[in-house]
Amino acid sequence: MGRELCIRGTFAHTQQLGEFEIFHDHLLITNSFGVTTHFEAATSAQSQAQLAAQSSVTLPSGHFILPNFVDLHLHAPQFLYQGNGLHLPLMQWLDEYAFKAEERLDADPALARKVYTRLAHRLIQHGTGTVLFFGTIKEETNLILAQVMQNAGLRAFVGKLSMDMSSRPSYMESSTQTSLQAARSFVKKCRDLTSTLPQHERLVEPVLTPRFVPTCSDELLLGLGKLSAAESLKIQSHFAEAMDQVEFVRRQRGAEDIDVFDRASSGLLTSRTIQAHCTFLDLPSFQHVRSCRTAIAHCPLSNSYFSAEPFRLREALDEGVKVGLGTDIAGGYSLDIMNSMRHAVSVSRMRQGSKDIITGTAGDGSKSLAIDWKESLYLATKGGATALGLTTGAFAVGSPFDAQEIGLFDSNGSGVGAIDIFDAEELGSAQLSVTMEMVEKWWCLGDTRNRVRTWVQGAKLDSEISPLL
Ligand code: GUN
Ligand code: FE
């Protein structure tokens, strides 16, 4: 149903950290499963034969196709109060905003459906095609989240929260065993949601989600580790996010997050695990995370509010840790991954002159701790996809077509949306081609006005927001 595409035009992606490629006049073809079967210069003999055999769509000049974004860390229920309450430190903010909002959605399925439906459409508008979600405690609310995302056509990894301890007695599971049983039950029901669909239409997957160490007993963590191994389930949590949280765990458990998590070979740090933040991890911890092939969801805007220190992104990348970007709604107020990319770059640039934890030397300008826009684009696309074990995030034969079309300028060379072009010739638009400089301009200034369409698994997504929602 509409997954067979034959598109001629400009494509761009970043397959490796720091490498950005523009493919002018290329032809991309997908099959009925939404998987790319052909990606070559449109002038090649193979492409010419394809063009002679079937009808194709040609992108307007000034447009290009990019992989869509992966949000590696988003609290779906917190979308309810996005943009409020960021004056508090993390542990207080969780008590006064996050837990309350989540409890409200667990008590009101109609409200949950409304919030999640609006969220799905906002994500599509912002070019996000894949999301790793934190949900709430209650099964029913998480099944609503999974069904809404499946219906919207988004690739969604849905985490029912596991919490057998809490600062809010009305918002926790009644015992460790109840919590483990609820995790098992959600996994089954979430899988059942799509079990009658053909494989390529199954977009949602359950993820084990011990919220963070303060809300999970050792017994619960061990039980979830076993469940993950038995059922090959992904795991997500938060590590070493903020000073008040790190100190809370030291008082509560007499240890660091990572040690509590990894105690007794819990089986929680795996190649299927994604940990948010990791702001306060030291070099041996990065090495340990790397050796477990666990990924990190970097959430720079949220860190700016809660963490007091920047994540050591360059060091994590140099160590070979898998990293992607997250918005951390509502600890971060923006669900636009474009903003996560910009914040990742700004925060990393502010680290110049800081101590490099790998070499132990104060930055003297000889080695940059900053990342640039192309590296941030890698994190937002291929980096996030790799963290989730997906082959999306770049264009290749055999990969599902998860993409977005961006319009930079029109056929007269006039910029679209917030992009102004004064010197068309210098920017290459006189020849009406998409250049690196134009893509960089979009990275800095672009917004939803530049987004023409998005696809997941070859299917075009609907970004219309009903006025009732
Ligand atoms: N740590 C535990 N729960 C949360 C949450 O909801 N948001 C953030 N930012 N950190 C957390
Ligand atoms: Fe979070």
Side-chain angles (χ1 to χ4, degrees), residues 75 78 90 93-94 98 211-212 238 241 277 302 306 328:
H75 296 263
Q78 297 175 17
L90 178 66
W93 174 85
L94 288 172
R211 182 180 201 128
F212 68 155
H238 299 84
E241 177 179 1
H277 308 302
S302 168
F306 291 137
D328 196 19

Side-chain angles (χ1 to χ4, degrees), residues 73 75 78 81 90-91 93-94 98-99 102 134-135 161 163 210-215 237-239 241-242 245 276-277 299 302-303 306 328-332:
H73 186 68
H75 296 263
Q78 297 175 17
Y81 69 96
L90 178 66
M91 296 303 274
W93 174 85
L94 288 172
F99 291 1
E102 293 171 20
F134 272 60
L161 303 186
M163 298 171 60
R211 182 180 201 128
F212 68 155
V213 170
T215 60
S237 188
H238 299 84
F239 259 7
E241 177 179 1
Q245 174 262 310
H277 308 302
C299 310
S302 168
N303 291 169
F306 291 137
D328 196 19
I329 289 288

Side-chain angles (χ1 to χ4, degrees), residues 85-91 93-94 241-244 277 280 301-309 328 330-332:
L86 287 167
H87 56 291
L88 294 173
L90 178 66
M91 296 303 274
W93 174 85
L94 288 172
E241 177 179 1
M243 248 1 263
D244 59 343
H277 308 302
F280 293 97
L301 178 58
S302 168
N303 291 169
S304 302
Y305 279 91
F306 291 137
S307 297
E309 269 187 37
D328 196 19

Side-chain angles (χ1 to χ4, degrees), residues 87-247:
H87 56 291
L88 294 173
L90 178 66
M91 296 303 274
Q92 256 174 284
W93 174 85
L94 288 172
D95 277 343
E96 292 187 26
Y97 288 91
F99 291 1
K100 275 188 200 163
E102 293 171 20
E103 197 173 11
R104 230 183 114 193
L105 290 208
D106 271 352
D108 187 344
L111 179 63
R113 187 173 296 280
K114 192 165 161 176
V115 170
Y116 294 162
T117 304
R118 170 65 75 137
L119 172 62
H121 288 107
R122 285 277 184 233
L123 288 165
I124 295 167
Q125 285 179 336
H126 287 85
T128 297
T130 295
V131 188
L132 177 56
F133 284 115
F134 272 60
T136 56
I137 290 179
K138 195 174 172 184
E139 178 174 280
E140 180 189 358
T141 322
N142 294 294
L143 292 173
I144 292 171
L145 174 59
Q147 191 66 63
V148 165
M149 295 301 151
Q150 171 73 32
N151 293 351
L154 286 160
R155 216 179 271 293
F157 296 84
V158 179
K160 186 210 99 64
L161 303 186
S162 294
M163 298 171 60
D164 65 347
M165 308 193 300
S166 175
S167 56
R168 188 173 178 83
S170 56
Y171 193 58
M172 60 183 278
E173 292 164 300
S174 58
S175 72
T176 307
Q177 287 314 314
T178 312
S179 177
L180 285 170
Q181 184 45 40
R184 271 185 228 112
S185 170
F186 172 68
V187 167
K188 177 169 184 331
K189 290 191 183 158
C190 186
R191 285 176 169 166
D192 284 350
L193 280 184
T194 58
S195 59
T196 57
L197 297 174
Q199 193 67 41
H200 70 282
E201 287 180 25
R202 296 181 196 174
L203 296 173
V204 297
E205 181 181 316
V207 180
L208 296 181
T209 307
R211 182 180 201 128
F212 68 155
V213 170
T215 60
C216 300
S217 66
D218 286 359
E219 196 187 343
L220 176 59
L221 292 174
L222 284 171
L224 292 172
K226 285 199 186 114
L227 181 56
S228 166
E231 302 256 353
S232 261
L233 290 156
K234 289 190 174 51
I235 301 160
Q236 59 177 342
S237 188
H238 299 84
F239 259 7
E241 177 179 1
M243 248 1 263
D244 59 343
Q245 174 262 310
V246 168
E247 276 159 11

